[in-house]
Amino acid sequence: MSGFNKIINSYEDAMDGLVDGMTIISGGFGLCGIPENLIKEIKRKGTKDLTVASNNCGTDKHGLGLLLSDHQVKKVIASYVGENALFEKQMMSGEIEVDLTPQGTLAEKMRAGGAGIPAFYTPAGYGTPVGDGKEVREFNGRKYILEEALQGDFSIAKAWKADSHGNLIFRRTARNFNPMAITAGKISVVEVEEIVEVGDLDPDQIHLPGIYVDRLIKGTFEKNIEQRTVRNT
Amino acid sequence: MSGFNKIINSYEDAMDGLVDGMTIISGGFGLCGIPENLIKEIKRKGTKDLTVASNNCGTDKHGLGLLLSDHQVKKVIASYVGENALFEKQMMSGEIEVDLTPQGTLAEKMRAGGAGIPAFYTPAGYGTPVGDGKEVREFNGRKYILEEALQGDFSIAKAWKADSHGNLIFRRTARNFNPMAITAGKISVVEVEEIVEVGDLDPDQIHLPGIYVDRLIKGTFEKNIEQRTVRNT
Amino acid sequence: MALTREQLAQRVAQEFKDGYYINLGIGIPTLAANYIPKGIDVVLQSENGILGMGPFPRDEEVDADIINAGKQTVTLIEGASVFSSADSFAMIRGGHVDLTILGAFEVDCQGNIASYMIPGKLIKGMGGAMDLVSGAENIIVTMTHASKDGVSKLLSNCTLPLTGKECIKRVLTDLALLDIEGGRFILRERAPGVSVDEIVKLTAGELEVTGDVPEMIFEI
Amino acid sequence: MALTREQLAQRVAQEFKDGYYINLGIGIPTLAANYIPKGIDVVLQSENGILGMGPFPRDEEVDADIINAGKQTVTLIEGASVFSSADSFAMIRGGHVDLTILGAFEVDCQGNIASYMIPGKLIKGMGGAMDLVSGAENIIVTMTHASKDGVSKLLSNCTLPLTGKECIKRVLTDLALLDIEGGRFILRERAPGVSVDEIVKLTAGELEVTGDVPEMIFEI
């Protein structure tokens, strides 16, 4: 079974091969379901000039924000900047290039990147700055823009449970961009909360098959919350 | 909760509104995971001039083959004809028009139809008769053809378990085309083996959310097997 | 009197129908979940991947893995499902959500909407808004009718970068409920105590006013 | 001697490597699962939606809901996963499968393959073959070298409608193992007891033969 054992024992090994100038596709939404420890390892390595595709860029203190504060990032492909002052500042000042991409388009570009679909048409962004310079085409009387697939040298993601073959189960909204991000990286690295025995997961209930996972590592997670909202009743 | 109760009590009501000339998208692969009873109801209704999109057309005796034998079908969009003599005969004689579509393209066309993607590029079929008349475009030095989304007036499908809201779980390879077929129909009708209480299904383990299901009916199934292969050891 | 945030939420919730799947944007739209009319059931979609979003959790229920599109901790109702962002936006873009409610900086009488950036000043990002406005048939924009300085936000042509082109058909402001048809705003309802004249004055885009314009009705 | 079906399956299985995810087409390719070399593990993909396909079931294990792409009843191995056809072909088209083995009516020295219909005679349909040949980097076609009448199936140009264009790089026939490079077949191995001359005679497309061509080796 050695050929299918994806388990890596150190974060250093997990991110082995990442070098300056590479493109990373990351799962996570805000701070939910982010590959916390893989991001910290990239910070530790100090890899520079990275292009990062991720819905958000974390916060000033957590997640991908850690890479911004160390000036490791050259370009960000994201849908949302709000609530991340450092990201907004580096974007406004021109220090980093930002490709603002509608959230659904970003998810679909990652899916397409993993699915052998080089490009697709979407209505999102037609007639807006997102559509500038992109082909517009009409289907059934409606206008759409052409969006190309996104692929990365690495993808980094977080799942809940895995078996050693890399079969993955995500938990609640920590799923978000993680499944697609994993499929779109040449080398995909996934950290999980728990590794179970091969055969313990119901084949019908695996969210992402192990074929997409190159490296798997078990971590412990802070799971920071951006907006802790509660009710009293 | 009345607004979310999708349960229909008779097959007649389940297919209400289907009229001559409509397009039906069907789930199923061979005879596996096919909406057996919905097909029988269409046969009973005698609706004519149907366009049917489905990977196969069943066999001469089962599944969509039943609609071929009653000459209810005008056009078939499918990837595979083999092992269905009647289908091959009606195709060869020109009685029915057949749009042979690669299996992955067919699945993706259904997904696109449900997902608001009007068209996408795929390498499958480039340089073959499937690509005839379709736009060819190069991305990163490779050639692809443009394929358009598929939508139907009705979609018919089979799942394993559901709750009354139409949240669905499929079983084993009976999943096949069913999830995408359901999303691509203006009216989607799903038959299932079991209906459980709302709240009984784990939110993480629902294969297709109830938002896609308009009508839900509990049936009993023959589950015919095309190639019963066994080993002795 | 201009509507309060709570009243805006209350009025927009009157548009809910039994069996609707609804996506509520951040801010006022989210508040509408507190005013679902009696006797009807709706299911809330959150574009980060929930169908069946519930209220905020009790303190002891808080789960970092369950958040909404505004990154707030939430709960799941019975019958909820959770899915990936690609699946969530397939649902949205595919037109399966019955009603979408979101905020805006500006709308115009062509149905254009601007909501994601103010060049040189503010870059929020569009998040899922561009997908939402392009995917939904039925969209209500909730916003203030004019700035504090009395500058109209209901324009002939949006001045800010667009979130979506020719996609908005209904706007609820703190002063009025308006439809957008044939290149103009059509005044449907007034906020209680707000005059037609006041609305006309604060609407920069072409505005049609026909007959008596009723006041909004709020149940007590 | 031309290889038997079993020998074809056995030789093609020698191409398997530890950790390979493999899609086996209907017929001879499926038989290769019986000859996985000792000491290595492979996982079989079935394009109707299985990763981790197992052997045929015992009589009492037969499950109508578990079939392979050939509609045969099969089993799932430990660690298997099941998914939709869209997800299965995303996997295939996206190049995630390490090795694809399928049959053909004809191949030519441009790497074209024809396998799904004979106009006027036979319409099988392409099933997943067009997606498979367009998605995989690593494809082996298994076929007979020539018809029973001695008509070559390894051509300069396929005569039948194509399943894929310029996508085949390796062909295993009952007579030989050949690569396709630079617009010609390159003879790599001979079936035991089959002469180079015989292969040359039955190969219509341009064929390069360099040096001694070794015989295939079969473990006992």
Side-chain angles (χ1 to χ4, degrees):
Chain A
M1 282 292 172
S2 60
F4 294 101
N5 182 359
K6 313 288 177 74
I7 298 173
I8 300 284
N9 291 310
S10 77
Y11 278 95
E12 199 175 335
D13 289 345
M15 292 312 300
D16 184 47
L18 180 75
V19 298
D20 292 357
M22 277 190 168
T23 295
I24 298 173
I25 316 257
S26 178
F29 177 85
L31 298 181
C32 183
I34 58 170
E36 297 179 11
N37 303 292
L38 295 171
I39 293 167
K40 284 179 191 156
E41 171 60 20
I42 298 169
K43 183 184 170 75
R44 193 200 61 76
K45 277 174 87 87
T47 320
K48 296 251 186 283
D49 293 326
L50 295 170
T51 294
V52 177
S54 169
N55 188 62
N56 319 71
C57 236
T59 62
D60 293 355
K61 298 258 174 66
H62 297 292
L64 292 167
L66 298 177
L67 307 185
L68 294 177
S69 56
D70 279 10
H71 306 279
Q72 295 179 257
V73 180
K74 180 181 64 178
K75 179 178 173 179
V76 175
I77 302 164
S79 85
Y80 200 71
V81 179
E83 293 113 49
N84 185 330
L86 184 62
F87 185 15
E88 192 168 354
K89 193 180 141 213
Q90 292 191 359
M91 181 177 177
M92 294 286 231
S93 74
E95 180 184 337
I96 53 171
E97 182 189 346
V98 178
D99 188 351
L100 274 181
T101 303
Q103 194 171 336
T105 299
L106 182 60
E108 193 68 13
K109 280 164 77 86
M110 290 183 190
R111 178 189 180 271
I117 300 289
F120 57 90
Y121 290 92
T122 175
Y126 163 68
T128 79
V130 166
D132 286 353
K134 289 175 185 156
E135 181 192 311
V136 174
R137 189 179 295 204
E138 196 170 306
F139 296 93
N140 302 312
R142 255 195 99 181
K143 297 231 172 72
Y144 298 85
I145 60 173
L146 183 67
E147 291 280 5
E148 294 194 19
L150 195 56
Q151 291 186 310
D153 299 296
F154 271 80
S155 54
I156 59 174
K158 194 250 164 194
W160 181 38
K161 281 187 191 180
D163 64 22
S164 65
H165 288 197
N167 290 308
L168 301 180
I169 293 182
F170 302 92
R171 186 169 173 277
R172 305 308 193 217
T173 60
R175 191 179 323 183
N176 57 64
F177 284 77
N178 281 299
M180 294 79 70
I182 294 167
T183 68
K186 282 195 203 100
I187 298 175
S188 64
V189 191
V190 182
E191 54 176 336
V192 297
E193 297 180 43
E194 187 183 352
I195 297 179
V196 302
E197 291 297 309
V198 170
D200 279 1
L201 304 177
D202 178 349
D204 280 342
Q205 302 296 10
I206 290 167
H207 292 140
L208 195 76
I211 194 170
Y212 292 107
V213 177
D214 295 309
R215 303 177 188 173
L216 180 70
I217 185 163
K218 184 168 176 291
T220 54
F221 298 84
E222 291 178 7
K223 293 199 187 183
N224 292 290
I225 293 174
E226 273 184 81
Q227 309 269 350
R228 193 177 202 282
T229 45
V230 297
R231 70 186 148 129
N232 298 317
T233 51
Chain B
M1 282 293 172
S2 60
F4 294 101
N5 182 358
K6 314 288 177 73
I7 299 174
I8 300 284
N9 292 312
S10 78
Y11 277 96
E12 199 174 336
D13 290 344
M15 292 313 299
D16 183 48
L18 180 75
V19 297
D20 292 358
M22 278 188 167
T23 295
I24 297 173
I25 317 256
S26 178
F29 178 85
L31 299 181
C32 184
I34 58 170
E36 298 180 9
N37 302 292
L38 294 171
I39 293 167
K40 284 179 191 157
E41 170 61 19
I42 298 169
K43 182 184 171 76
R44 193 200 60 76
K45 276 174 87 87
T47 321
K48 296 251 187 283
D49 293 326
L50 295 169
T51 294
V52 176
S54 168
N55 188 61
N56 319 71
C57 237
T59 62
D60 293 355
K61 296 260 174 63
H62 297 292
L64 292 167
L66 297 178
L67 307 185
L68 294 177
S69 55
D70 280 9
H71 307 279
Q72 295 178 257
V73 180
K74 181 182 66 180
K75 180 177 173 180
V76 174
I77 302 163
S79 86
Y80 200 70
V81 180
E83 293 113 48
N84 184 330
L86 184 62
F87 185 17
E88 191 167 355
K89 195 180 142 217
Q90 291 190 359
M91 181 177 177
M92 295 287 230
S93 73
E95 179 184 337
I96 53 171
E97 181 188 345
V98 177
D99 188 351
L100 274 180
T101 304
Q103 194 171 336
T105 298
L106 183 59
E108 193 68 12
K109 280 164 77 86
M110 290 183 190
R111 177 188 181 272
I117 300 289
F120 57 90
Y121 290 91
T122 175
Y126 163 69
T128 79
V130 166
D132 286 353
K134 289 174 186 156
E135 182 192 311
V136 173
R137 189 179 295 203
E138 198 170 304
F139 295 94
N140 302 313
R142 254 196 99 181
K143 297 234 173 70
Y144 297 85
I145 61 172
L146 182 68
E147 291 280 4
E148 295 195 18
L150 195 55
Q151 291 185 309
D153 299 296
F154 271 80
S155 54
I156 59 174
K158 195 249 164 195
W160 181 38
K161 281 188 191 179
D163 63 23
S164 64
H165 288 198
N167 290 308
L168 301 180
I169 294 182
F170 302 91
R171 187 170 173 278
R172 304 308 193 217
T173 60
R175 191 178 327 183
N176 57 62
F177 283 77
N178 282 298
M180 294 78 71
I182 292 166
T183 69
K186 283 195 202 99
I187 297 175
S188 64
V189 192
V190 182
E191 55 176 337
V192 296
E193 297 181 44
E194 187 183 350
I195 297 179
V196 302
E197 291 297 309
V198 170
D200 279 2
L201 303 176
D202 178 348
D204 280 343
Q205 301 297 12
I206 289 167
H207 292 139
L208 195 76
I211 194 170
Y212 292 108
V213 177
D214 296 308
R215 302 176 188 173
L216 180 70
I217 186 164
K218 184 168 179 288
T220 54
F221 298 85
E222 291 178 8
K223 292 198 185 184
N224 290 289
I225 293 173
E226 273 183 82
Q227 308 270 350
R228 193 178 201 282
T229 45
V230 296
R231 68 186 149 129
N232 298 317
T233 50
Chain C
M1 286 267 291
L3 300 184
T4 62
R5 282 168 59 88
E6 295 294 329
Q7 282 176 312
L8 269 163
Q10 207 175 339
R11 178 61 192 86
V12 83
Q14 291 175 18
E15 304 293 307
F16 294 0
K17 291 192 182 136
D18 191 37
Y20 263 19
Y21 295 99
I22 303 175
N23 183 291
L24 298 177
I26 299 169
I28 289 165
T30 298
L31 289 178
N34 299 328
Y35 297 100
I36 298 166
K38 286 207 178 77
I40 72 161
D41 286 299
V42 301
V43 164
L44 303 180
Q45 206 261 13
S46 185
E47 66 262 31
N48 57 317
I50 305 174
L51 192 70
M53 178 171 60
F56 294 149
R58 292 190 188 82
D59 195 63
E60 67 277 15
E61 292 171 336
V62 167
D63 183 337
D65 287 342
I66 310 182
I67 65 168
N68 66 14
K71 282 107 183 173
Q72 297 171 312
T73 47
V74 292
T75 53
L76 304 178
I77 63 167
E78 289 211 329
S81 53
V82 174
F83 32 82
S84 74
S85 300
D87 287 345
S88 183
F89 282 93
M91 192 180 284
I92 287 167
R93 217 178 24 233
H96 303 282
V97 174
D98 297 300
L99 176 62
T100 290
I101 300 176
L102 79 170
F105 299 147
E106 297 175 346
V107 296
D108 70 28
C109 48
Q110 274 75 51
N112 298 322
I113 172 173
S115 66
Y116 82 101
M117 74 174 294
I118 303 174
K121 262 199 197 162
L122 172 77
I123 307 176
K124 251 181 24 163
M126 68 291 283
M130 287 192 180
D131 309 275
L132 281 160
V133 298
S134 70
E137 263 303 295
N138 195 4
I139 306 170
I140 303 176
V141 172
T142 57
M143 60 192 295
T144 51
H145 206 100
S147 72
K148 280 169 195 156
D149 311 331
V151 180
S152 177
K153 297 179 178 179
L154 274 61
L155 309 172
S156 295
N157 290 289
C158 287
T159 64
L160 298 170
L162 296 186
T163 304
K165 193 171 162 70
E166 297 167 15
C167 53
I168 306 303
K169 292 176 196 150
R170 179 159 277 205
V171 184
L172 176 69
T173 74
D174 53 344
L175 304 184
L177 178 71
L178 310 99
D179 285 337
I180 301 175
E181 271 178 42
R184 62 195 189 289
F185 294 105
I186 301 174
L187 184 59
R188 297 294 186 201
E189 294 180 16
R190 296 174 292 126
V194 173
S195 69
V196 168
D197 279 356
E198 197 173 341
I199 294 164
V200 168
K201 206 169 58 183
L202 289 171
T203 305
E206 189 180 339
L207 176 67
E208 178 180 310
V209 183
T210 310
D212 278 347
V213 178
E215 283 192 358
M216 294 173 195
I217 294 167
F218 292 92
E219 285 169 33
I220 304 150
Chain D
M1 285 268 291
L3 300 184
T4 62
R5 283 168 58 86
E6 296 292 331
Q7 283 176 310
L8 269 163
Q10 206 175 339
R11 177 61 192 87
V12 83
Q14 291 175 17
E15 303 292 309
F16 295 179
K17 292 193 180 134
D18 191 37
Y20 263 19
Y21 295 99
I22 303 175
N23 183 291
L24 299 176
I26 299 169
I28 290 165
T30 298
L31 289 178
N34 300 328
Y35 297 101
I36 298 166
K38 285 207 178 77
I40 73 160
D41 286 299
V42 301
V43 163
L44 302 181
Q45 206 262 11
S46 186
E47 65 263 31
N48 57 317
I50 304 174
L51 192 71
M53 180 171 61
F56 295 149
R58 292 189 188 83
D59 194 63
E60 67 277 15
E61 291 171 336
V62 167
D63 183 336
D65 288 341
I66 310 180
I67 65 168
N68 65 15
K71 281 107 184 174
Q72 298 172 313
T73 47
V74 293
T75 53
L76 304 179
I77 64 166
E78 289 210 332
S81 54
V82 174
F83 31 82
S84 74
S85 300
D87 287 345
S88 183
F89 282 93
M91 192 181 283
I92 287 167
R93 216 178 24 233
H96 303 281
V97 174
D98 297 300
L99 176 63
T100 290
I101 300 175
L102 78 172
F105 299 147
E106 297 174 348
V107 296
D108 70 28
C109 48
Q110 273 75 50
N112 299 322
I113 172 172
S115 66
Y116 80 102
M117 73 173 294
I118 302 173
K121 261 199 197 161
L122 171 77
I123 307 176
K124 250 181 24 160
M126 68 291 285
M130 287 191 180
D131 308 276
L132 281 160
V133 297
S134 68
E137 264 303 296
N138 194 3
I139 306 169
I140 303 175
V141 173
T142 58
M143 59 192 296
T144 51
H145 207 100
S147 72
K148 279 167 196 158
D149 310 331
V151 179
S152 177
K153 298 179 179 178
L154 275 60
L155 309 173
S156 296
N157 290 290
C158 287
T159 64
L160 297 172
L162 295 187
T163 304
K165 193 171 162 71
E166 296 165 17
C167 53
I168 306 301
K169 294 177 194 149
R170 179 159 277 204
V171 184
L172 175 69
T173 74
D174 53 343
L175 304 184
L177 177 71
L178 310 99
D179 286 337
I180 301 175
E181 271 177 42
R184 61 195 192 288
F185 294 105
I186 301 172
L187 184 59
R188 298 293 185 200
E189 295 180 15
R190 298 173 290 124
V194 172
S195 70
V196 169
D197 280 356
E198 197 172 341
I199 293 164
V200 168
K201 206 170 58 184
L202 288 171
T203 305
E206 189 180 338
L207 176 67
E208 177 179 311
V209 183
T210 310
D212 279 347
V213 178
E215 282 191 358
M216 294 174 194
I217 294 167
F218 292 92
E219 284 169 33
I220 303 150

